[in-house]
Amino acid sequence: MNTPHLRFTDIDPSIEERVDTLLKQMTLEEKVGQLVQINLGWREDTDDWVREGRVGSILSLTDTQEINRLQRIAVEESRLGIPLLIGNDVIHGYRTVFPIPLAESCTWEPALLERASRVAADEAAASGTDWIFAPMVDICRDPRWGRIAEGAGEDPFLGSAMAQARIRGFQAADLTSERRIVACPKHYVAYGAAEAGKDYNTVDISERTLRDVYLPPFKAAFDAGAGTVMSAFNELNGIPASANAFTLRTILREEWGFPGVVLSDFDAIGELIHHGFAEDHKTATRKSILAGVDVDMMGNAFPFHLAALVREGQTPENLVEHAVRRVLRLKFMLGLFEAPYTDESLADQITLTGENRALALEVCRKSMVLLKNEGKILPLSNSIETLAVIGPLADNHHEPLGCWTLQGRDEDVESVLDGLQAVLPENITLLHVPGCEIEGGDVDFDRAVSAALAADVVVMVLGESLMMSGEAHSRAHLDLPGRQQELLEAVVATGKPVVAVLMAGRPLAIPWMAEHVAAMLMAWHGGIRTGRAVADLLFGNAVPSGKLTASFPRSEGQIPVYYAHKSTGRPIDIRGIIQFDRAHKSQYLDESSDPLFPFGFGLSYTTFAYSDLAVETPEIGLDDTLVVSAKITNTGERTGDEIVQCYVRDLCGSVTRPVKELKGFKKVTLTPGESQIVHFEIPARTLGFHGLTMDYVVEPGEFWVWIGANAREGLKGAFTVIA
Ligand code: NOJ
């Protein structure tokens, strides 16, 4: 689906004229004001600041009446009547909370995410939001980083597709009224490469990795018309991202021609002092505006120093004017001058509607990943007599919301128990025991074990609280928190078949569970419809189809473990040089090199066979398109969706290339026995990388190609790119 959406990257000359006229009337202080974003609690004299034109935008404000009140001051009481922008974090839904973005990406269905983003933006817009601080498009290969929950996982190709879908969805909101919404891909850039997965930590990566892995989703977002971008907290190779002229000016403005607004992350300018990159706020202000930041989120620096810097000749006024021009252009494009106020009756009419809740359920079901299903224990049979539901997350109405939900309410959430009660056949008796708390606290293993012993099947709902992922919530240990592992072991020891439903904001390292339970369903933090989606999947009212977008490690020591790694000179799959007692290869003494579950992995209630790989273009020129196909057959007994993936490997280059790179994916629905030939058309121009001179190059030579069900398996062929 391609909804009509506004491309904020297209410049309209009539708007430029209006911007010119306004700019000419502005004092230096009023210009600086447009570059200041504050949050409401920050200053007691906010009203005065708005009245004096010292604020251009407000963040984290969702009360429509208050938004309108402040807007009235800006429009009716300030000298030039320039409306305010209202920016909010709408990360996975507004009041209709969808699964966390990492889960949403496991649908591998950009068109679905486009619809979900549209719903989120419509609900946010109805409450007065103009500016959405999303999507987070940071690639992340370290599940210790709590913010992996907010992104689309480890892969730049998939991440780019998801980024574009979200931009289209967000920026399509309210197209029928005079008002629009603008999106803000973040965090520019490489924030997800924080050392050791610790939030805000140092990022030190090569320029090539930056360009090949971390930049593409941003570029994709701008190609889809994203109108703003948020500069990150982290330093990148010694220069903080919010004062980094190389990424903000050279790449963003000069190479990509991005005309939109650059907003710093919250106090990221002030934090240049802690980075040891500026002695004081004045220097921080100068360094960040010179590097290319337009707007100071939180307003700790610009409002107090920018005008003085201009007067003292330390910052050219035209730099400030360019930034103001971008902000004013955005305000005109959003329709704020024509329609500054929000209809206070609108939100109730369009929020949390049946349609929105139904879409949330669809996304939720499709985001869950079936990781194991031994003996086809799932779907659960309707003829079981007693079902025990055990675990601290089984009847929880809060944690499924996931991190970052401004408007999410516990009362909207269906717990797993609610969901099961809604779908359970009458003949099945349900026993529920929490067994323990999520982290620490009381345990009740005896009752849990008794319930398990009395049941035919046990469903255990285990995992993380919502506060264990997200910003500033990194973990060094990725096992089950608290005493949940003990609870799991006690219940498994009963010998009853155990189905684990796992809720978390990240991949977990759970090899014991993977070995000992009969089935595992990764439910993530699925938002308000979590319970119903889990119940539908457990009882087969829906067939699992999600596939992982981030590898699950076996242990923390493997991290980073991701499919698109390099070969090394001593890869694990060669015989290797034997020295001392063993082959000297790139491997661990005490751990496998394989992830527990690879990127792209996910099971179904049916099975799919891959056959008849055909490389239809064994030789392609640089302007040609690789055409490759395979036959996918539903060999099971249920209709199901299969996410078919296409990977390539450039065997030899002027710089080394990953062992596999995703270049295409398609979701097909097949009835039992049905086959479909799935084609991939991959332009040779997309097979490149940043070469020796750091230019993007596609190098002639031999490639392998796979069509498969995940990054670990697939039918393999070969093709050649010729000059
Ligand atoms: C800090 C976070 O890093 C960013 O993602 C968010 O948009 C801002 N705070 C505003 O809440």
Side-chain angles (χ1 to χ4, degrees), residues 59 89 133 147 186-187 230 233 265-266 297 404 471:
L59 85 143
D89 289 282
F133 303 144
R147 303 199 80 170
K186 63 188 188 184
H187 306 82
M230 187 183 294
F233 287 128
D265 203 340
F266 198 88
M297 179 193 280
W404 261 132
E471 186 179 350

Side-chain angles (χ1 to χ4, degrees), residues 502-525:
L502 208 55
M503 282 187 201
R506 57 159 63 77
L508 295 177
I510 36 166
W512 193 94
M513 177 190 281
E515 195 182 330
H516 292 92
V517 300
M520 278 168 83
L521 179 69
M522 188 67 205
W524 310 105
H525 289 139

Side-chain angles (χ1 to χ4, degrees), residues 364-486:
C364 198
R365 282 170 171 168
K366 289 179 169 176
S367 71
M368 293 182 180
V369 185
L370 183 65
L371 295 173
K372 181 175 181 185
N373 194 13
E374 210 171 67
K376 294 193 183 163
I377 185 170
L378 293 177
L380 293 174
S381 149
N382 282 345
S383 59
I384 55 179
E385 282 169 15
T386 307
L387 179 69
V389 182
I390 296 173
L393 286 155
D395 196 24
N396 193 299
H397 292 87
H398 179 63
E399 311 303 346
L401 286 171
C403 59
W404 261 132
T405 49
L406 280 181
Q407 296 301 311
R409 297 194 194 163
D410 295 3
E411 74 215 43
D412 299 336
V413 174
E414 291 162 357
S415 71
V416 171
L417 206 63
D418 294 339
L420 285 171
Q421 274 154 355
V423 308
L424 212 61
E426 269 173 22
N427 57 298
I428 301 182
T429 306
L430 198 150
L431 306 172
H432 167 234
V433 182
C436 65
E437 294 179 10
I438 299 172
E439 286 180 273
D442 293 338
V443 293
D444 192 358
F445 292 169
D446 290 347
R447 270 187 63 223
V449 167
S450 306
L453 287 169
D456 305 301
V457 178
V458 184
V459 170
M460 292 194 75
V461 192
L462 304 170
E464 295 184 330
S465 65
L466 65 81
M467 288 304 281
M468 297 185 81
S469 58
E471 186 179 350
H473 290 82
S474 294
R475 293 182 69 199
H477 303 285
L478 300 183
D479 50 1
L480 288 174
R483 301 187 62 185
Q484 295 183 62
Q485 179 66 27
E486 282 175 70

